Amino acid sequence: MTQPTKNKVLKKIQQADQRLPWYSGSQLKLYAQLMRLHKPIGIYLLLWPTLWALWLATPELIPSIKNLLIFIVGVILMRSAGCIINDFADRKIDGKVKRTQDRPLATGAVSSKEALVLFVLISLSAFLLVLMTNTLTIQLSVGGLILAAIYPFMKRHTHLPQVVLGAAFAWSVPMAFAAEAGTIRQEAWLIYLAVVLWTLVYDTFYAMVDRDDDIKIGVKSTAILFGEQDKIITGGLQLLTLYTLILVGQRFELGITYYSSLLVVAALFAYQQWLIRFRDRDACLKAFLNNHWVGLIVFTGIAADKITLS
């Protein structure tokens, strides 16, 4: 085969590849990237508080397997939907931020229409899961979807989008109580508050990574709002988170195993403050990622304490 002929064949292959349907392997990879499935930290940070609530909502050692599966799959779906709508909202600014410039919507690899269709499909899938629970949980799911949908747009209107994210991430707490116990105990709102405070801390660390870029393009965040007081304020919020978790232990009559886990959490919080001491981008990102262990340790304390007290 002559070189000109080879070139024609290669060109036809490239053109055919560009016309591949949405379900092709390459396009599915882009959708998975849009859903951030290759970066599961968001799934963990949403999953752990959900598991805290499920375990505290049930009088048994573990919640029902049905609810456990529903909420685990639901967490994955809703986090994926949240990433999609976030990237849709930021599609015109992500290309100007170093950390996000290669996202599929920013590069044009995935169209806005594709992203919105995928968001609707995933949200409907999550809602179908909720239909397997009870009326109260179904009603609460509407609030969770609204919070997830409006969060990405808050950074244009307020310096407190992290608070909205906290409210969205914590919404799984009342939903878990509703599904497992059929009602929302008053004490459940203490867990909700703890999750909001904790989210405000770690998402401020995350925002510190992009602070310089965000200031240039006009995006708002708590990292910008807190300014030079960011370390002091996040440290104070970490203390409030710990205090709220102590109150959770008291209200749910947890024992020494749970409180021991909070000592580990306190050490992790101190480590995170040490990481961000120079406000280095990579260190701030590392502090953010470290919160996966915070969620895991609290869950371990709750689950282990129920076993020891049984």
Side-chain angles (χ1 to χ4, degrees):
M1 185 184 294
T2 64
Q3 189 62 38
T5 303
K6 286 183 179 179
N7 291 338
K8 289 181 180 179
V9 171
L10 288 173
K11 186 175 181 180
K12 287 182 179 180
I13 292 174
Q14 290 171 352
Q15 290 174 343
D17 185 62
Q18 290 172 359
R19 295 193 298 269
L20 285 174
W22 67 270
Y23 50 81
S24 67
S26 58
Q27 199 67 12
L28 286 177
K29 288 179 182 178
L30 287 171
Y31 292 161
Q33 185 180 349
L34 181 64
M35 295 158 63
R36 228 86 85 234
L37 295 179
H38 61 302
K39 295 181 178 180
I41 180 63
I43 294 174
Y44 300 146
L45 292 174
L46 181 55
L47 177 64
W48 294 126
T50 306
L51 296 183
W52 302 353
L54 283 171
W55 254 254
L56 290 173
T58 179
E60 308 298 329
L61 282 180
I62 62 172
S64 72
I65 299 301
K66 173 189 170 184
N67 282 335
L68 190 57
L69 291 175
I70 287 173
F71 276 86
I72 289 175
V73 177
V75 160
I76 296 171
L77 290 174
M78 286 310 298
R79 190 265 181 163
S80 299
C83 288
I84 294 169
I85 199 65
N86 179 78
D87 285 11
F88 174 78
D90 292 346
R91 64 193 184 282
K92 294 182 180 179
I93 63 176
D94 273 346
K96 303 174 184 178
V97 179
K98 182 179 180 181
R99 181 179 57 83
T100 61
Q101 60 187 3
D102 294 326
R103 287 178 175 176
L105 274 170
T107 62
V110 173
S111 70
S112 296
K113 181 179 179 180
E114 286 177 291
L116 289 176
V117 169
L118 190 59
F119 171 76
V120 171
L121 290 176
I122 292 175
S123 298
L124 286 175
S125 299
F127 186 67
L128 289 175
L129 282 176
V130 176
L131 291 178
M132 299 169 64
T133 57
N134 55 40
T135 302
L136 180 57
T137 311
I138 294 169
Q139 292 171 341
L140 287 168
S141 70
V142 177
L145 179 60
I146 292 172
L147 285 168
I150 66 172
Y151 156 70
F153 301 94
M154 291 297 100
K155 64 188 74 174
R156 283 128 175 101
H157 306 290
T158 175
H159 279 96
L160 298 172
Q162 282 70 29
V163 176
V164 181
L165 180 67
F169 268 38
W171 201 251
S172 64
V173 172
M175 285 185 63
F177 269 85
E180 187 65 26
T183 186
I184 305 174
R185 288 178 55 178
Q186 187 176 7
E187 295 84 354
W189 296 108
L190 273 177
I191 308 173
Y192 184 89
L193 177 59
V195 177
V196 172
L197 291 169
W198 178 42
T199 307
L200 180 54
V201 171
Y202 67 64
D203 205 50
T204 298
F205 293 158
Y206 197 50
M208 289 169 69
V209 178
D210 299 331
R211 178 157 46 191
D212 294 340
D213 291 328
D214 287 346
I215 290 173
K216 293 177 183 177
I217 60 181
V219 171
K220 300 176 182 179
S221 71
T222 48
I224 296 172
L225 178 65
F226 296 163
E228 293 297 317
Q229 304 303 314
D230 49 6
K231 293 183 287 185
I232 294 174
I233 294 175
T234 54
L237 289 169
Q238 286 174 323
L239 290 175
L240 282 174
T241 302
L242 279 170
Y243 178 66
T244 308
L245 288 172
I246 290 171
L247 293 179
V248 168
Q250 292 175 351
R251 295 296 181 88
F252 285 91
E253 299 181 344
L254 300 176
I256 188 65
T257 306
Y258 171 75
Y259 291 110
S260 297
S261 74
L262 296 188
L263 291 176
V264 180
V265 169
L268 289 174
F269 281 167
Y271 172 61
Q272 291 166 18
Q273 286 296 318
W274 182 81
L275 283 173
I276 68 166
R277 67 194 187 282
F278 299 126
R279 301 183 178 91
D280 175 75
R281 282 182 183 237
D282 291 339
C284 290
L285 180 60
K286 190 174 181 180
F288 163 74
L289 295 172
N290 184 258
N291 281 276
H292 159 55
W293 298 105
V294 172
L296 172 61
I297 294 299
V298 174
F299 169 69
T300 302
I302 293 171
D305 203 78
K306 293 196 71 172
I307 293 173
T308 57
L309 292 177
S310 63

